[in-house]
Amino acid sequence: MSIAPAFDASTTSLHSEAFPDCAVCGAQGWIPVYQGAVRDGAFGNSRSGAVVAECVGCGVQRLDEASCQDDAVYTDAAYRELLGEAIDTKGFHAAHDPLQLERLNVVNPMTLRDKVIADIGCAAGSFLDFVSGLAHWVVAVEPGKPYQDSLRERGFHVYDFTADALEDCEGSVEHAFSFQVIEHVAAPGAFMSEIAALLAPGGRVTISTPNRDDLLMSLLPEDYPPFFYRTVHRWYFCADSLSRCGRAAGLIPVETRFVHRFGVANTLRWLRERRPGGRDPLPGLDDRALDSVWRDTLAREGTADTIYMTFEKPAN
Ligand SMILES: [Zn+2]
């Protein structure tokens, strides 16, 4: 990690307004792991002087509070605008529908037929559209007001937050999903506890989040962290800290899968250009078989860019 000489990671422990008691495990000590610029929206925008530190109790990492975006950003159009993404339902679907195959693959071979399901932080509901035909009852939790009318029109039961859904659905959801949300929330411990309360006994929840053991974090310790750490993500998980977060809410981790969303050219462009190349191929390396082996290798090693972890609520 890129540690500025101003502090010594081996001895400094933070505890302050910027690093209050851990919102996963309650521990009171944070060891700084990164200091410098972090991404603020799309690549090219950054905020300087940020600090990321790791909890001494559960190993989760967090961005200092002053560098985090205000949570209110998620209730209106500001968040998608910050990312340079579409703010209307149609635009969201155009961008996100093609990404759902990755999520359906992770559901495989579980079936959602006749089940009560929920998507926590579903945005415009791309994933729910792919699975709602099988489900008996669909709960859509989404604070973003621009999406809610459309979600209701499609027959989903819409709530701003999980706590609002508990009144109607406590103990009844058989499979909940929450993709790329936990890294944003104010308190991941409470977030998981509320989902656990929503679940039926024996019910499951699948959580996805960026993997801080992403290969590029170790390959490019100077250039990649200022891209990986970002103002909209308060929390940074590896598989171990994510499993601890679920266990703290009384959930049992039952499956962990890693998914890498880019081909080998993306990594090579990072190494060559020190910047994101998205899905742009490189001459001579535009080969689906090669990319497939690359993705599988990183998934096997646990160094892919995304973690999918499924937890089960004990039956009694
Ligand atoms: Zn902790």
Side-chain angles (χ1 to χ4, degrees):
M1 294 297 134
S2 183
I3 308 284
F7 61 68
D8 174 355
S10 64
T11 58
T12 308
S13 179
L14 304 170
H15 186 244
S16 64
E17 257 177 47
F19 291 93
D21 296 356
C22 177
V24 174
C25 73
Q28 299 179 341
W30 296 91
I31 306 296
V33 295
Y34 174 79
Q35 185 175 43
V38 294
R39 180 151 61 104
D40 189 25
F43 176 73
N45 301 320
S46 65
R47 189 177 291 188
S48 60
V51 178
V52 176
E54 187 167 316
C55 173
V56 297
C58 68
V60 72
Q61 293 180 1
R62 65 156 298 161
L63 183 62
D64 71 275
E65 190 58 37
S67 297
C68 295
Q69 286 285 343
D70 193 305
D71 292 342
V73 74
Y74 302 114
T75 61
D76 56 25
Y79 174 56
R80 299 289 165 190
E81 282 174 350
L82 183 70
L83 300 185
E85 292 188 354
I87 55 170
D88 62 302
T89 295
K90 206 171 168 186
F92 182 91
H93 287 160
H96 291 258
D97 283 353
L99 308 177
Q100 301 309 314
L101 185 59
E102 169 190 318
R103 294 168 179 180
L104 294 171
N105 260 330
V106 175
V107 174
N108 180 39
M110 297 176 279
T111 180
L112 303 178
R113 188 171 295 282
D114 298 328
K115 287 189 174 167
V116 178
I117 65 168
D119 187 347
I120 315 299
C122 66
S126 282
F127 176 73
L128 289 176
D129 282 340
F130 279 88
V131 295
S132 60
L134 288 171
H136 166 62
W137 182 273
V138 178
V139 175
V141 175
E142 173 51 46
K145 299 291 183 192
Y147 302 133
Q148 291 184 347
D149 285 346
S150 167
L151 291 167
R152 281 192 193 93
E153 282 164 16
R154 279 175 277 157
F156 306 148
H157 300 272
V158 180
Y159 301 91
D160 286 345
F161 295 99
T162 307
D164 304 316
L166 285 174
E167 194 172 321
D168 298 333
C169 312
E170 185 167 7
S172 66
V173 171
E174 294 165 281
H175 204 135
F177 299 88
S178 185
F179 303 117
Q180 312 283 333
V181 175
I182 195 169
E183 61 274 14
H184 298 271
V185 304
F191 177 78
M192 290 297 281
S193 294
E194 286 170 0
I195 294 175
L198 204 58
L199 292 180
R204 291 186 166 198
V205 55
T206 300
I207 302 285
S208 80
T209 192
N211 180 18
R212 74 169 200 238
D213 287 337
D214 184 329
L215 181 67
L216 283 167
M217 290 290 271
S218 55
L219 282 182
L220 283 175
E222 297 297 322
D223 295 288
Y224 194 65
F227 177 80
F228 180 79
Y229 294 126
R230 63 205 92 166
T231 60
V232 292
H233 291 179
R234 187 178 271 108
W235 306 97
Y236 304 92
F237 291 93
C238 56
D240 182 63
S241 47
L242 185 59
S243 76
R244 286 168 187 260
C245 183
R247 285 183 189 281
L251 299 169
I252 311 298
V254 290
E255 185 175 62
T256 304
R257 295 192 203 183
F258 297 91
V259 174
H260 198 68
R261 297 168 303 162
F262 299 97
V264 69
N266 176 275
T267 306
L268 293 176
R269 278 189 186 278
W270 264 108
L271 292 173
R272 185 175 75 168
E273 301 163 14
R274 303 290 200 262
R275 54 178 289 128
R279 288 179 170 74
D280 293 344
L282 280 172
L285 286 170
D286 187 12
D287 184 279
R288 292 179 71 150
L290 172 65
D291 283 343
S292 177
V293 170
W294 177 246
R295 288 193 181 98
D296 287 350
T297 304
L298 269 56
R300 230 175 16 251
E301 295 288 324
T303 53
D305 59 50
T306 304
I307 310 173
Y308 282 85
M309 193 171 288
T310 298
F311 300 88
E312 192 168 293
K313 181 174 177 172
N316 46 40

